[in-house]
Amino acid sequence: NAGVTQTPKFRILKIGQSMTLQCTQDMNHNYMYWYRQDPGMGLKLIYYSVGAGITDKGEVPNGYNVSRSTTEDFPLRLELAAPSQTSVYFCASSYGIGELFFGEGSRLTVL
Amino acid sequence: LAKTTQPISMDSYEGQEVNITCSHNNIATNDYITWYQQFPSQGPRFIIQGYKTKVTNEVASLFIPADRKSSTLSLPRVSLSDTAVYYCLVSRDGNQFYFGTGTSLTVIP
């Protein structure tokens, strides 16, 4: 099993550009999450999904959008990138109140 | 969800037992307590989860008093490879998992 796969691993964007971070899981988990982690800080929840077609905002949703058309995929869209969005982004999935399974992270720099 | 409070950092010598306490005063009846470990440049990794009393697995123990307003992660005989950030989460029904600032544990030879 691949678990949770994130792409790309690294990306540099210019201010105002847009991009999509991809996340896919092969564990048939209903719950999926996007977090961001700034240097030396804890993880902040951006968006989450409890199943295909259902998404909801977390702590820091501004500047991001998500969709969940399938159980496996949960892409995160950044519109009009800003330097404040420079961070490491983690995608995670879960079958419920049990453990979160994380991807390896996507390091984004906005210049 | 209940906010969690942990010490920012801790140091321990190799071979000692380490106890990290987390405060979650507003925990609700349906909330579970989960601990994660994170190494630099990696995603967090599940350590242990509990609801009340004591839970033990092959790597750690989790102690939760009757009022559930706090919990203590116990790592027996730590080694250098246990140097990491440890997060306490209060989770409910798989909907939302909020990470606090975590405790940075440094194991000293």
Side-chain angles (χ1 to χ4, degrees):
Chain A
N1 278 347
V4 178
T5 303
Q6 293 182 232
T7 56
K9 288 186 169 48
F10 302 92
R11 182 73 186 267
I12 298 175
L13 281 180
K14 294 182 179 179
I15 295 172
Q17 287 186 321
S18 299
M19 75 160 296
T20 299
L21 297 176
Q22 301 291 343
C23 177
T24 186
Q25 53 94 6
D26 61 1
M27 296 172 282
N28 203 32
H29 288 165
N30 283 327
Y31 301 95
M32 296 190 73
Y33 308 84
W34 274 106
Y35 291 89
R36 60 173 288 174
Q37 185 173 35
D38 298 333
M41 305 295 287
L43 286 80
K44 296 288 188 184
L45 181 62
I46 306 172
Y47 271 96
Y48 67 99
S49 170
V50 301
I54 306 170
T55 62
D56 209 342
K57 298 177 180 178
E59 301 174 272
V60 289
N62 292 342
Y64 306 95
N65 279 300
V66 294
S67 59
R68 185 93 182 271
S69 57
T70 67
T71 299
E72 295 78 19
D73 300 308
F74 191 41
L76 177 71
R77 178 81 176 164
L78 281 73
E79 305 282 0
L80 299 175
S84 61
Q85 293 178 304
T86 293
S87 191
V88 179
Y89 292 84
F90 289 102
C91 178
S93 72
S94 169
Y95 58 82
I97 60 173
E99 63 181 287
L100 288 168
F101 294 81
F102 281 85
E104 295 182 351
S106 298
R107 186 176 298 275
L108 175 66
T109 301
V110 182
L111 300 174
Chain B
L1 285 177
K3 180 181 177 179
T4 60
T5 303
Q6 304 173 231
I8 293 174
S9 64
M10 296 179 68
D11 294 335
S12 176
Y13 287 102
E14 239 183 329
Q16 289 189 330
E17 178 184 72
V18 171
N19 294 310
I20 306 174
T21 297
C22 178
S23 172
H24 28 78
N25 290 323
N26 297 323
I27 192 167
T29 304
N30 294 334
D31 291 341
Y32 282 74
I33 299 145
T34 313
W35 286 79
Y36 286 81
Q37 175 192 57
Q38 186 181 29
F39 298 112
S41 302
Q42 294 185 22
R45 185 177 68 174
F46 174 90
I47 301 174
I48 197 166
Q49 183 182 71
Y51 183 79
K52 62 181 178 180
T53 62
K54 177 183 175 181
V55 179
T56 298
N57 62 22
E58 63 275 10
V59 298
S61 295
L62 178 60
F63 300 91
I64 305 169
D67 65 6
R68 304 199 328 120
K69 293 183 183 299
S70 67
S71 59
T72 299
L73 174 72
S74 180
L75 304 173
R77 297 181 298 282
V78 294
S79 65
L80 297 177
S81 62
D82 293 316
T83 293
V85 178
Y86 293 82
Y87 294 97
C88 160
L89 277 73
V90 174
S91 53
R92 181 188 307 156
D93 205 29
N95 283 343
Q96 299 175 58
F97 294 81
Y98 290 95
F99 285 76
T101 52
T103 298
S104 179
L105 172 66
T106 301
V107 180
I108 305 164

